[in-house]
Each structure stands twice: as structure tokens, then as C-alpha cells.
Amino acid sequence: MSAPRRPVDPSGLERYYVLTGGRSGPGGSASSLDVATLVVARAAPLPGMQHEHEEILRRCRDPLSVAELGAHLGLPFNILAVLLSDLLVAGRVEARNPIPAHDAGRGPDLALLEEVLSGLERL
């Protein structure tokens, strides 16, 4: 006779609890993360790292937004933020906040836009 099967958690909450070590939100510098924050790896994955940490480092060789990263990994924002917090504290990734519109300068280069428009009209 086989042992009774453990019920499966269809919500994935048990998996998330294990991934984050029971933490429900990021701390420290990661608390300012939002979906538009760009993440870039500063180190390669180490042997024995948690799989999700390895995947983040692999995917972030080039800057990737938190939203894109979450979509690739299939993780909710708060779970991903906890994992990114671990990597930020360890210095393995860098988070770059997007430039707010009011700090982006005087706007698009009008001369460049006029050249593009002129080129499109010639087509």
C-alpha cells in the first residue's frame, strides 16, 4: 500500500513561501523597486545558487525591467522583489530606476524628429 499523497497547492503559495524563505516583501534598497526599474547582473551565477537567482542573473546580462523579468520567470512582483533584494544585498545585481519625465531634459530633439519626418515623407 502506498503512502497517502500530499494535497497539491494549486495557488502556488506554498512554492512562493519556499522561494522567499517565508518573507513577504523586500527590505532595504529593494523596497523602492517598481515594475519599470531596470535590473542588470553584476556577477555570474555561482554553483549551488537557488535556481531562480541563477535565472535572474542569466536573464539580466543586459538590462531588463522588473516587469519583463517577472513575465519571463512567471513570478508575481512581490516574490520577484524579494529575490531581487537578496541579489542586491549580495551585490550580484544593480537596480537602475527609470528617469522620471520631469527629469528627462527638455524633451525630444525637435531637429532629429523633423529629419525623421522629412525622411518618411520622401518614402
Side-chain angles (χ1 to χ4, degrees):
M1 181 170 205
S2 64
R5 291 189 61 191
R6 215 172 131 211
V8 176
D9 178 12
S11 69
L13 294 177
E14 186 176 301
R15 174 178 172 251
Y16 298 151
Y17 183 86
V18 171
L19 287 179
T20 63
R23 295 169 291 161
S24 61
S29 61
S31 61
S32 65
L33 289 175
D34 74 12
V35 294
T37 301
L38 294 177
V39 179
V40 64
R42 289 287 165 225
L46 295 172
M49 282 184 103
Q50 184 175 334
H51 173 73
E52 288 74 15
H53 287 143
E54 289 179 13
E55 273 302 303
I56 291 168
L57 293 174
R58 278 192 204 100
R59 290 185 182 270
C60 292
R61 288 182 185 131
D62 294 317
L64 196 61
S65 74
V66 172
E68 292 171 303
L69 189 56
H72 286 299
L73 298 176
L75 293 173
F77 174 79
N78 62 326
I79 303 302
L80 182 57
V82 172
L83 297 174
L84 287 171
S85 174
D86 296 341
L87 293 171
L88 282 165
V89 168
R92 304 201 67 77
V93 297
E94 179 182 332
R96 301 176 184 168
N97 290 322
I99 300 171
H102 66 285
D103 292 341
R106 59 179 170 77
D109 182 358
L110 292 179
L112 176 63
L113 291 176
E114 287 172 357
E115 286 181 44
V116 170
L117 180 60
S118 175
L120 289 173
E121 288 172 345
R122 285 192 300 256
L123 291 177

